[in-house]
Amino acid sequence: MKHLKVGSAALLMLMFSQAKSQKTAFDKPDQPAKCKNIREGKFLRPNYPEGIWYMTIKDNVQTEYLNNSKDFIKSTLVFVDDCNYKAIVLDMTANDNRIHIGDVFSNKIVETQDNALKIHTKIEKSQYEVIYIKAKK
């Protein structure tokens, strides 16, 4: 029971810090959005240590690394325009029953600020908002 209380408290703190970072990350968004920042580089997520998750994009191939880089999800990117692209899952070692080879994610970059990108992602009937931070070289 004690572990449940500690775990619940940790989860609540994580959710609060994630919500706070998403609210404040775009107080002065770029006008217009710098959508081409997604085309290449290394990307992190706010409040996620790099050992849990990071992503690289090069030559229209997106690779998400999980579990201290022991697992990955590799997708090809097809750009509709500068701010809209599809990610088609090509290969994966990650044990995630929600994602399968051949899945297509539709992505729209809705805001950028400095090295941060806010993206709306859709797959089937589900929609998510994610924030990526482009790592500086």
Side-chain angles (χ1 to χ4, degrees):
M1 190 67 165
K2 183 178 179 182
H3 294 332
L4 181 61
K5 287 181 183 178
V6 171
S8 297
L11 181 61
L12 184 62
M13 289 174 55
L14 178 64
M15 288 175 16
F16 175 79
S17 65
Q18 181 71 17
K20 184 177 178 187
S21 73
Q22 288 187 2
K23 269 187 188 173
T24 60
F26 296 89
D27 55 346
K28 294 180 182 177
D30 298 320
Q31 294 297 329
K34 296 178 184 173
C35 296
K36 289 188 178 184
N37 281 349
I38 197 74
R39 298 272 179 152
E40 189 168 303
K42 181 177 183 177
F43 300 86
L44 307 169
R45 300 259 318 261
N47 301 320
Y48 276 60
E50 191 172 322
I52 292 176
W53 184 94
Y54 75 93
M55 175 176 77
T56 61
I57 298 176
K58 184 172 177 148
D59 298 328
N60 291 335
V61 175
Q62 169 182 296
T63 307
E64 297 177 60
Y65 295 95
L66 310 126
N67 192 21
N68 287 317
S69 299
K70 294 176 187 167
D71 294 310
F72 68 87
I73 301 170
K74 187 178 286 189
S75 304
T76 187
L77 302 182
V78 178
F79 285 88
V80 177
D81 58 39
D82 285 344
C83 296
N84 293 281
Y85 64 97
K86 297 189 182 300
I88 304 164
V89 179
L90 298 174
D91 193 13
M92 61 188 289
T93 62
N95 189 12
D96 188 333
N97 294 328
R98 300 169 295 169
I99 300 171
H100 301 71
I101 293 174
D103 282 351
V104 178
F105 292 82
S106 296
N107 301 288
K108 180 176 183 169
I109 300 169
V110 293
E111 282 184 302
T112 65
Q113 182 177 316
D114 302 322
N115 62 335
L117 300 100
K118 184 185 294 183
I119 299 177
H120 288 173
T121 299
K122 289 183 188 178
I123 181 165
E124 295 179 3
K125 296 178 183 176
S126 298
Q127 182 169 328
Y128 308 94
E129 181 176 277
V130 294
I131 295 177
Y132 297 138
I133 307 297
K134 187 170 186 176
K136 295 181 181 175
K137 294 182 180 184

mmCIF file of all heavy atoms in Angstrom, residues 53-78:
data_model
loop_
_atom_site.group_PDB
_atom_site.id
_atom_site.type_symbol
_atom_site.label_atom_id
_atom_site.label_comp_id
_atom_site.label_asym_id
_atom_site.label_seq_id
_atom_site.Cartn_x
_atom_site.Cartn_y
_atom_site.Cartn_z
ATOM 1 N N TRP A 53 13.955 8.120 -23.335
ATOM 2 C CA TRP A 53 13.499 8.358 -24.708
ATOM 3 C C TRP A 53 14.301 9.496 -25.327
ATOM 4 O O TRP A 53 14.551 10.529 -24.711
ATOM 5 C CB TRP A 53 12.021 8.755 -24.703
ATOM 6 C CG TRP A 53 11.439 8.940 -26.068
ATOM 7 C CD1 TRP A 53 10.766 8.018 -26.801
ATOM 8 C CD2 TRP A 53 11.472 10.121 -26.883
ATOM 9 N NE1 TRP A 53 10.382 8.547 -28.009
ATOM 10 C CE2 TRP A 53 10.803 9.839 -28.089
ATOM 11 C CE3 TRP A 53 12.015 11.395 -26.713
ATOM 12 C CZ2 TRP A 53 10.659 10.776 -29.103
ATOM 13 C CZ3 TRP A 53 11.874 12.332 -27.727
ATOM 14 C CH2 TRP A 53 11.197 12.016 -28.909
ATOM 15 N N TYR A 54 14.708 9.301 -26.574
ATOM 16 C CA TYR A 54 15.177 10.389 -27.430
ATOM 17 C C TYR A 54 14.970 9.955 -28.868
ATOM 18 O O TYR A 54 14.694 8.790 -29.155
ATOM 19 C CB TYR A 54 16.630 10.799 -27.148
ATOM 20 C CG TYR A 54 17.691 9.852 -27.647
ATOM 21 C CD1 TYR A 54 18.272 10.035 -28.896
ATOM 22 C CD2 TYR A 54 18.123 8.794 -26.869
ATOM 23 C CE1 TYR A 54 19.252 9.172 -29.353
ATOM 24 C CE2 TYR A 54 19.105 7.924 -27.321
ATOM 25 C CZ TYR A 54 19.664 8.126 -28.554
ATOM 26 O OH TYR A 54 20.639 7.268 -29.002
ATOM 27 N N MET A 55 15.049 10.917 -29.776
ATOM 28 C CA MET A 55 14.746 10.644 -31.178
ATOM 29 C C MET A 55 15.775 11.339 -32.059
ATOM 30 O O MET A 55 16.231 12.433 -31.748
ATOM 31 C CB MET A 55 13.337 11.186 -31.479
ATOM 32 C CG MET A 55 12.904 11.097 -32.908
ATOM 33 S SD MET A 55 11.192 11.663 -33.109
ATOM 34 C CE MET A 55 11.396 13.453 -33.020
ATOM 35 N N THR A 56 16.107 10.676 -33.167
ATOM 36 C CA THR A 56 16.952 11.301 -34.182
ATOM 37 C C THR A 56 16.205 11.299 -35.506
ATOM 38 O O THR A 56 15.383 10.407 -35.765
ATOM 39 C CB THR A 56 18.298 10.564 -34.353
ATOM 40 O OG1 THR A 56 18.049 9.227 -34.780
ATOM 41 C CG2 THR A 56 19.114 10.576 -33.070
ATOM 42 N N ILE A 57 16.480 12.307 -36.315
ATOM 43 C CA ILE A 57 15.926 12.376 -37.669
ATOM 44 C C ILE A 57 17.068 12.730 -38.611
ATOM 45 O O ILE A 57 17.802 13.696 -38.386
ATOM 46 C CB ILE A 57 14.800 13.426 -37.786
ATOM 47 C CG1 ILE A 57 13.639 13.052 -36.875
ATOM 48 C CG2 ILE A 57 14.341 13.563 -39.245
ATOM 49 C CD1 ILE A 57 12.509 14.079 -36.848
ATOM 50 N N LYS A 58 17.203 11.903 -39.645
ATOM 51 C CA LYS A 58 18.208 12.157 -40.672
ATOM 52 C C LYS A 58 17.735 11.487 -41.953
ATOM 53 O O LYS A 58 17.299 10.332 -41.936
ATOM 54 C CB LYS A 58 19.574 11.605 -40.255
ATOM 55 C CG LYS A 58 20.648 11.931 -41.266
ATOM 56 C CD LYS A 58 22.016 11.577 -40.786
ATOM 57 C CE LYS A 58 22.955 11.902 -41.922
ATOM 58 N NZ LYS A 58 24.234 12.322 -41.520
ATOM 59 N N ASP A 59 17.826 12.217 -43.068
ATOM 60 C CA ASP A 59 17.445 11.698 -44.388
ATOM 61 C C ASP A 59 16.033 11.116 -44.386
ATOM 62 O O ASP A 59 15.796 10.021 -44.913
ATOM 63 C CB ASP A 59 18.451 10.650 -44.877
ATOM 64 C CG ASP A 59 19.848 11.219 -45.053
ATOM 65 O OD1 ASP A 59 19.969 12.417 -45.392
ATOM 66 O OD2 ASP A 59 20.825 10.474 -44.830
ATOM 67 N N ASN A 60 15.099 11.837 -43.769
ATOM 68 C CA ASN A 60 13.686 11.437 -43.690
ATOM 69 C C ASN A 60 13.461 10.109 -42.968
ATOM 70 O O ASN A 60 12.462 9.429 -43.199
ATOM 71 C CB ASN A 60 13.031 11.403 -45.072
ATOM 72 C CG ASN A 60 12.867 12.795 -45.647
ATOM 73 O OD1 ASN A 60 12.795 13.778 -44.909
ATOM 74 N ND2 ASN A 60 12.819 12.892 -46.950
ATOM 75 N N VAL A 61 14.389 9.729 -42.101
ATOM 76 C CA VAL A 61 14.213 8.549 -41.250
ATOM 77 C C VAL A 61 14.241 9.012 -39.803
ATOM 78 O O VAL A 61 15.198 9.643 -39.350
ATOM 79 C CB VAL A 61 15.304 7.485 -41.497
ATOM 80 C CG1 VAL A 61 15.168 6.323 -40.512
ATOM 81 C CG2 VAL A 61 15.227 6.969 -42.927
ATOM 82 N N GLN A 62 13.167 8.708 -39.105
ATOM 83 C CA GLN A 62 13.028 9.056 -37.691
ATOM 84 C C GLN A 62 13.237 7.783 -36.877
ATOM 85 O O GLN A 62 12.598 6.769 -37.133
ATOM 86 C CB GLN A 62 11.626 9.603 -37.445
ATOM 87 C CG GLN A 62 11.256 9.772 -35.995
ATOM 88 C CD GLN A 62 9.831 10.263 -35.861
ATOM 89 O OE1 GLN A 62 9.515 11.360 -36.295
ATOM 90 N NE2 GLN A 62 8.978 9.445 -35.262
ATOM 91 N N THR A 63 14.144 7.847 -35.898
ATOM 92 C CA THR A 63 14.372 6.698 -35.022
ATOM 93 C C THR A 63 14.192 7.156 -33.586
ATOM 94 O O THR A 63 14.876 8.071 -33.131
ATOM 95 C CB THR A 63 15.781 6.105 -35.218
ATOM 96 O OG1 THR A 63 15.975 5.832 -36.615
ATOM 97 C CG2 THR A 63 15.936 4.821 -34.428
ATOM 98 N N GLU A 64 13.245 6.528 -32.896
ATOM 99 C CA GLU A 64 13.011 6.791 -31.485
ATOM 100 C C GLU A 64 13.733 5.709 -30.695
ATOM 101 O O GLU A 64 13.565 4.523 -30.968
ATOM 102 C CB GLU A 64 11.521 6.747 -31.166
ATOM 103 C CG GLU A 64 10.731 7.805 -31.893
ATOM 104 C CD GLU A 64 9.250 7.701 -31.620
ATOM 105 O OE1 GLU A 64 8.858 7.821 -30.428
ATOM 106 O OE2 GLU A 64 8.498 7.477 -32.570
ATOM 107 N N TYR A 65 14.541 6.134 -29.725
ATOM 108 C CA TYR A 65 15.301 5.197 -28.900
ATOM 109 C C TYR A 65 14.693 5.168 -27.501
ATOM 110 O O TYR A 65 14.414 6.206 -26.918
ATOM 111 C CB TYR A 65 16.768 5.618 -28.834
ATOM 112 C CG TYR A 65 17.453 5.533 -30.168
ATOM 113 C CD1 TYR A 65 17.550 6.652 -30.992
ATOM 114 C CD2 TYR A 65 17.989 4.334 -30.616
ATOM 115 C CE1 TYR A 65 18.170 6.572 -32.224
ATOM 116 C CE2 TYR A 65 18.620 4.243 -31.845
ATOM 117 C CZ TYR A 65 18.702 5.373 -32.642
ATOM 118 O OH TYR A 65 19.314 5.287 -33.877
ATOM 119 N N LEU A 66 14.505 3.956 -26.992
ATOM 120 C CA LEU A 66 13.906 3.748 -25.675
ATOM 121 C C LEU A 66 14.782 2.814 -24.847
ATOM 122 O O LEU A 66 15.611 2.094 -25.410
ATOM 123 C CB LEU A 66 12.514 3.113 -25.838
ATOM 124 C CG LEU A 66 11.599 3.807 -26.835
ATOM 125 C CD1 LEU A 66 11.090 2.823 -27.857
ATOM 126 C CD2 LEU A 66 10.465 4.443 -26.105
ATOM 127 N N ASN A 67 14.550 2.821 -23.546
ATOM 128 C CA ASN A 67 15.178 1.822 -22.679
ATOM 129 C C ASN A 67 16.703 1.853 -22.801
ATOM 130 O O ASN A 67 17.330 0.837 -23.092
ATOM 131 C CB ASN A 67 14.607 0.437 -23.017
ATOM 132 C CG ASN A 67 14.954 -0.613 -22.001
ATOM 133 O OD1 ASN A 67 15.286 -0.303 -20.867
ATOM 134 N ND2 ASN A 67 14.874 -1.872 -22.416
ATOM 135 N N ASN A 68 17.279 3.055 -22.604
ATOM 136 C CA ASN A 68 18.732 3.245 -22.728
ATOM 137 C C ASN A 68 19.263 2.787 -24.080
ATOM 138 O O ASN A 68 20.310 2.154 -24.165
ATOM 139 C CB ASN A 68 19.472 2.545 -21.585
ATOM 140 C CG ASN A 68 19.304 3.287 -20.285
ATOM 141 O OD1 ASN A 68 19.390 4.514 -20.243
ATOM 142 N ND2 ASN A 68 19.026 2.563 -19.222
ATOM 143 N N SER A 69 18.521 3.099 -25.130
ATOM 144 C CA SER A 69 18.874 2.797 -26.526
ATOM 145 C C SER A 69 18.882 1.302 -26.837
ATOM 146 O O SER A 69 19.395 0.887 -27.877
ATOM 147 C CB SER A 69 20.223 3.408 -26.903
ATOM 148 O OG SER A 69 20.174 4.804 -26.773
ATOM 149 N N LYS A 70 18.306 0.478 -25.970
ATOM 150 C CA LYS A 70 18.219 -0.961 -26.238
ATOM 151 C C LYS A 70 17.100 -1.273 -27.219
ATOM 152 O O LYS A 70 17.148 -2.275 -27.916
ATOM 153 C CB LYS A 70 18.002 -1.731 -24.938
ATOM 154 C CG LYS A 70 19.184 -1.656 -23.999
ATOM 155 C CD LYS A 70 18.888 -2.338 -22.688
ATOM 156 C CE LYS A 70 20.028 -2.097 -21.715
ATOM 157 N NZ LYS A 70 19.658 -2.477 -20.356
ATOM 158 N N ASP A 71 16.076 -0.419 -27.266
ATOM 159 C CA ASP A 71 14.947 -0.615 -28.162
ATOM 160 C C ASP A 71 14.777 0.611 -29.046
ATOM 161 O O ASP A 71 15.194 1.713 -28.692
ATOM 162 C CB ASP A 71 13.660 -0.848 -27.361
ATOM 163 C CG ASP A 71 13.701 -2.142 -26.573
ATOM 164 O OD1 ASP A 71 14.024 -3.184 -27.171
ATOM 165 O OD2 ASP A 71 13.422 -2.104 -25.363
ATOM 166 N N PHE A 72 14.131 0.406 -30.209
ATOM 167 C CA PHE A 72 13.914 1.524 -31.119
ATOM 168 C C PHE A 72 12.610 1.333 -31.882
ATOM 169 O O PHE A 72 12.065 0.235 -31.968
ATOM 170 C CB PHE A 72 15.076 1.666 -32.117
ATOM 171 C CG PHE A 72 15.164 0.536 -33.101
ATOM 172 C CD1 PHE A 72 14.444 0.570 -34.290
ATOM 173 C CD2 PHE A 72 15.962 -0.570 -32.850
ATOM 174 C CE1 PHE A 72 14.511 -0.475 -35.208
ATOM 175 C CE2 PHE A 72 16.051 -1.614 -33.759
ATOM 176 C CZ PHE A 72 15.316 -1.575 -34.935
ATOM 177 N N ILE A 73 12.136 2.454 -32.426
ATOM 178 C CA ILE A 73 11.033 2.470 -33.387
ATOM 179 C C ILE A 73 11.520 3.334 -34.546
ATOM 180 O O ILE A 73 11.819 4.508 -34.362
ATOM 181 C CB ILE A 73 9.740 3.069 -32.782
ATOM 182 C CG1 ILE A 73 9.309 2.276 -31.554
ATOM 183 C CG2 ILE A 73 8.635 3.119 -33.840
ATOM 184 C CD1 ILE A 73 8.184 2.927 -30.757
ATOM 185 N N LYS A 74 11.620 2.746 -35.731
ATOM 186 C CA LYS A 74 12.128 3.459 -36.908
ATOM 187 C C LYS A 74 10.976 3.718 -37.866
ATOM 188 O O LYS A 74 10.213 2.811 -38.193
ATOM 189 C CB LYS A 74 13.207 2.637 -37.602
ATOM 190 C CG LYS A 74 13.901 3.381 -38.736
ATOM 191 C CD LYS A 74 14.985 2.545 -39.366
ATOM 192 C CE LYS A 74 16.153 2.494 -38.416
ATOM 193 N NZ LYS A 74 17.351 1.879 -39.027
ATOM 194 N N SER A 75 10.876 4.977 -38.322
ATOM 195 C CA SER A 75 9.810 5.378 -39.241
ATOM 196 C C SER A 75 10.398 6.170 -40.393
ATOM 197 O O SER A 75 11.411 6.855 -40.242
ATOM 198 C CB SER A 75 8.787 6.260 -38.520
ATOM 199 O OG SER A 75 8.262 5.608 -37.392
ATOM 200 N N THR A 76 9.744 6.095 -41.538
ATOM 201 C CA THR A 76 10.094 6.964 -42.652
ATOM 202 C C THR A 76 9.162 8.170 -42.593
ATOM 203 O O THR A 76 7.994 8.049 -42.219
ATOM 204 C CB THR A 76 9.979 6.240 -44.010
ATOM 205 O OG1 THR A 76 10.488 7.103 -45.026
ATOM 206 C CG2 THR A 76 8.576 5.841 -44.346
ATOM 207 N N LEU A 77 9.686 9.336 -42.926
ATOM 208 C CA LEU A 77 8.895 10.568 -42.894
ATOM 209 C C LEU A 77 8.569 11.002 -44.315
ATOM 210 O O LEU A 77 9.441 11.042 -45.182
ATOM 211 C CB LEU A 77 9.653 11.679 -42.178
ATOM 212 C CG LEU A 77 10.077 11.390 -40.738
ATOM 213 C CD1 LEU A 77 10.777 12.606 -40.137
ATOM 214 C CD2 LEU A 77 8.908 10.965 -39.886
ATOM 215 N N VAL A 78 7.298 11.320 -44.535
ATOM 216 C CA VAL A 78 6.834 11.825 -45.822
ATOM 217 C C VAL A 78 6.244 13.203 -45.557
ATOM 218 O O VAL A 78 5.217 13.327 -44.882
ATOM 219 C CB VAL A 78 5.772 10.881 -46.443
ATOM 220 C CG1 VAL A 78 5.274 11.447 -47.762
ATOM 221 C CG2 VAL A 78 6.329 9.474 -46.612
#
